[in-house]
Amino acid sequence: MVVVTGQNKASGHPGDAMSTSDAEDDFQEPATPTATQAEHSLSLLPQQFPEVVPLNVGGMHFTTRLSTLRRYEDTMLSAMFSGRHYIPTDAEGRYFIDRDGTFFGDVLNFLRSGDLPPRERVRSVYKEAQYYSIGPLLESLEELQPLKGEKVRQAFLGLMPYYKDHLERIVEIAKLRAMQRKARFAKLKICVFKEEMPITPYECPLFNSLRFERSEGEAKLFEHHCEVDVSFGPWEAVADVYDLLHCIVTDLSSRGITVDHQCIGVCDKHLINHYYCKRPIYEFKITWW
């Protein structure tokens, strides 16, 4: 038979009873959260927005309805003001978007009533539409000039996959030559040809074709590289040499580069017998300052 007695007497050993300090440790009050912890916890809560939303976009102030910002679901603005993300406010309580607000008004006008910007602002508003991922605005702008014309131009330039690389080569060569000569400008020779032209007036009847098609063996006889810095061509399209020259000058000018060009003749390189290359050669003058 087991006899159970009352409470054990203190034995005096350290492990037999809980010390006063241990008991105090077990019953410590929870620590007060720091300001950083409180802010972090607050940011995790769903954010509530008023029906009329005051905005500060890069220092420019706007006011619009919450429903306007949420007009299209798959946009950055709709996601930002969905309540799932924390949007900081400025000293006046306006919701802050760290983005240049110059063309934000055009974005709001489209979200409000579908209004589109005038031609001179189309490219700039298009960049904002890309940033905010507003698909309907992007589609509408792509049907306006100059973006619609740019799509046609890019379709033509797509025939020359090397176009951008050659454009960079023009810039690099011009920069190096100007630096070496310590000059304001540099000149380059550029060949631009749409198709292989008759090399002499006598070649046309020999090949009996408006496109001057040659056999593989005949084509190799005329293969050569003109002595120029950069060469564009050939391509098959209605657009001609002057159209490509316009593209080159336009793209260089858009980068702030001053360009002048003129035709200085033809290659005139002797190939075989009485055949000479008649590809046109243009002199490009790139002015740096």
Side-chain angles (χ1 to χ4, degrees):
M1 183 176 62
V2 179
V3 179
V4 180
T5 63
Q7 294 180 347
N8 291 331
K9 296 181 180 179
S11 61
H13 295 289
D16 291 342
M18 181 183 293
S19 66
T20 304
S21 60
D22 291 339
E24 291 176 352
D25 290 342
D26 285 350
F27 293 94
Q28 284 181 352
E29 294 182 0
T32 302
T34 64
T36 303
Q37 292 172 333
E39 182 180 352
H40 178 68
S41 299
L42 183 61
S43 65
L44 296 178
L45 297 175
Q47 192 170 13
Q48 300 296 323
F49 298 100
E51 183 60 29
V52 177
V53 183
L55 299 170
N56 179 343
V57 184
M60 299 183 68
H61 296 171
F62 302 89
T63 303
T64 189
R65 293 174 63 90
L66 181 61
S67 58
T68 299
L69 298 172
R70 295 175 176 176
R71 175 79 63 188
Y72 299 104
E73 292 184 0
D74 298 329
T75 67
M76 180 185 293
L77 289 173
S78 179
M80 289 173 66
F81 291 91
S82 64
R84 300 191 304 270
H85 306 281
Y86 176 73
I87 309 298
T89 56
D90 62 11
E92 298 177 356
R94 294 180 175 274
Y95 295 98
F96 181 72
I97 299 176
D98 194 10
R99 177 78 174 176
D100 186 356
T102 304
F103 302 99
F104 189 75
D106 292 300
V107 174
L108 281 182
N109 286 337
F110 176 80
L111 295 177
R112 288 167 176 152
S113 55
D115 292 346
L116 296 174
R119 174 171 179 157
E120 61 271 16
R121 296 207 299 269
V122 166
R123 289 185 185 275
S124 298
V125 177
Y126 188 81
K127 292 180 180 179
E128 298 307 298
Q130 287 179 315
Y131 178 78
Y132 293 111
S133 301
I134 306 175
L137 178 53
L138 290 171
E139 293 173 1
S140 298
L141 293 174
E142 287 173 355
E143 294 303 315
L144 299 180
Q145 287 287 57
L147 295 183
K148 193 166 187 176
E150 180 63 17
K151 290 177 66 175
V152 177
R153 191 178 82 101
Q154 290 300 327
F156 162 54
L157 294 178
L159 298 174
M160 290 161 280
Y162 54 80
Y163 176 78
K164 290 184 178 180
D165 292 337
H166 282 18
L167 210 63
E168 292 298 327
R169 180 171 172 79
I170 291 173
V171 175
E172 288 301 316
I173 293 175
K175 182 180 71 174
L176 289 175
R177 287 183 181 172
M179 292 177 66
Q180 290 171 352
R181 297 176 57 247
K182 309 297 188 292
R184 289 180 59 239
F185 62 87
K187 293 182 178 180
L188 296 81
K189 288 184 178 181
I190 298 177
C191 178
V192 181
F193 64 103
K194 178 178 179 180
E195 58 187 354
E196 297 290 359
M197 301 294 290
I199 300 181
T200 71
Y202 307 101
E203 183 182 4
C204 182
L206 292 178
F207 291 101
N208 193 27
S209 170
L210 292 177
R211 295 185 54 80
F212 312 110
E213 297 175 356
R214 308 182 179 98
S215 66
E216 183 177 350
E218 292 169 335
K220 288 182 178 180
L221 294 176
F222 299 99
E223 287 180 356
H224 74 290
H225 296 284
C226 301
E227 295 180 0
V228 295
D229 298 299
V230 182
S231 182
F232 293 87
W235 67 86
E236 294 185 9
V238 175
D240 59 19
V241 169
Y242 299 103
D243 295 320
L244 182 57
L245 288 170
H246 182 272
C247 290
I248 297 172
V249 173
T250 298
D251 289 334
L252 291 176
S253 299
S254 67
R255 299 169 62 169
I257 299 174
T258 302
V259 187
D260 295 298
H261 69 283
Q262 62 177 343
C263 183
I264 58 175
V266 296
C267 174
D268 214 28
K269 181 177 181 180
H270 179 255
L271 300 178
I272 183 173
N273 297 332
H274 54 280
Y275 295 125
Y276 293 82
C277 174
K278 297 301 178 182
R279 295 173 182 171
I281 307 297
Y282 295 85
E283 181 183 75
F284 271 59
K285 180 181 178 181
I286 308 294
T287 303
W288 292 105
W289 84 85

